[in-house]
Amino acid sequence: MITLDLMNSTEFQEYLYSAIKSYAESNVQSGNWSEQESISKATEQYAQLLPDGEKTANNKLLTIRSDGQEVGMIWLALKPNNKGYIYDIKIREDYRGRGFGKQAMEDIEKMAREFGIKSMGLHVFAHNKIARGLYEKLGYKETSIVMAKEL
């Protein structure tokens, strides 16, 4: 059993620091960005998406807890036309493989329905096979694929 609680400012700052680093690394690994530019680009994108931090309108940044312990986080954005978007979900390494990610995804979908959301989108890097498997099991379908080749 988990709960989804709105992040407080301390939790948000901890999340932001690790999220920028992780997002930068994933973009380097995917070949989208060079290592030199990755942190500044990731920082810029997070500043655009969350100009008011955890209090940014139409965004729900939530801490996932199990028995009062923080096990991860999930970020839901409420978009126009009754659409939702999951910008991020992270389960702490020592809590992975216990079903917390699946339960958080199911709970966030329930929450989204309560907000009137009719469809949900998300992005997953191609190299993140575990996350892709989870999303497919939950009924998410690929809607576009970006491919690249080094020359």
Side-chain angles (χ1 to χ4, degrees):
M1 178 75 177
I2 64 165
T3 59
L4 301 178
D5 303 319
L6 288 174
M7 278 187 191
N8 63 40
S9 60
T10 301
E11 290 168 333
F12 175 74
Q13 289 305 316
E14 290 170 5
Y15 162 69
L16 187 62
Y17 174 79
S18 67
I20 287 171
K21 184 178 179 217
S22 174
Y23 187 58
E25 289 170 357
S26 287
N27 273 286
V28 170
Q29 185 177 352
S30 294
N32 298 331
W33 299 340
S34 72
E35 195 165 336
Q36 295 78 10
E37 68 185 349
S38 64
I39 293 294
S40 64
K41 282 191 165 202
T43 301
E44 182 181 310
Q45 285 193 8
Y46 273 86
Q48 288 174 353
L49 290 169
L50 297 168
D52 296 321
E54 75 281 6
K55 293 179 173 75
T56 300
N58 297 318
N59 286 271
K60 306 294 178 196
L61 289 118
L62 304 153
T63 300
I64 305 166
R65 298 187 204 287
S66 175
D67 296 325
Q69 293 294 313
E70 181 181 337
V71 299
M73 64 73 55
I74 191 165
W75 170 10
L76 170 66
L78 309 174
K79 300 290 190 176
N81 301 317
N82 298 324
K83 294 185 179 187
Y85 196 85
I86 298 172
Y87 273 103
D88 204 357
I89 177 172
K90 287 199 177 13
I91 303 299
R92 291 180 176 228
E93 227 171 289
D94 48 335
Y95 290 99
R96 292 181 186 163
R98 299 187 198 177
F100 293 124
K102 181 177 187 245
Q103 190 175 357
M105 290 291 292
E106 291 170 346
D107 287 0
I108 205 76
E109 288 174 6
K110 181 180 176 193
M111 180 184 290
R113 281 187 211 94
E114 291 170 1
F115 287 122
I117 300 297
K118 302 292 183 206
S119 69
M120 185 79 77
L122 56 81
H123 170 269
V124 61
F125 284 100
H127 64 264
N128 193 343
K129 294 185 186 326
I130 293 172
R132 289 181 66 184
L134 171 63
Y135 304 145
E136 288 170 5
K137 284 179 188 170
L138 291 169
Y140 288 79
K141 306 281 185 226
E142 292 177 351
T143 57
S144 67
I145 299 172
V146 176
M147 300 176 79
K149 177 182 177 181
E150 290 293 320
L151 301 177

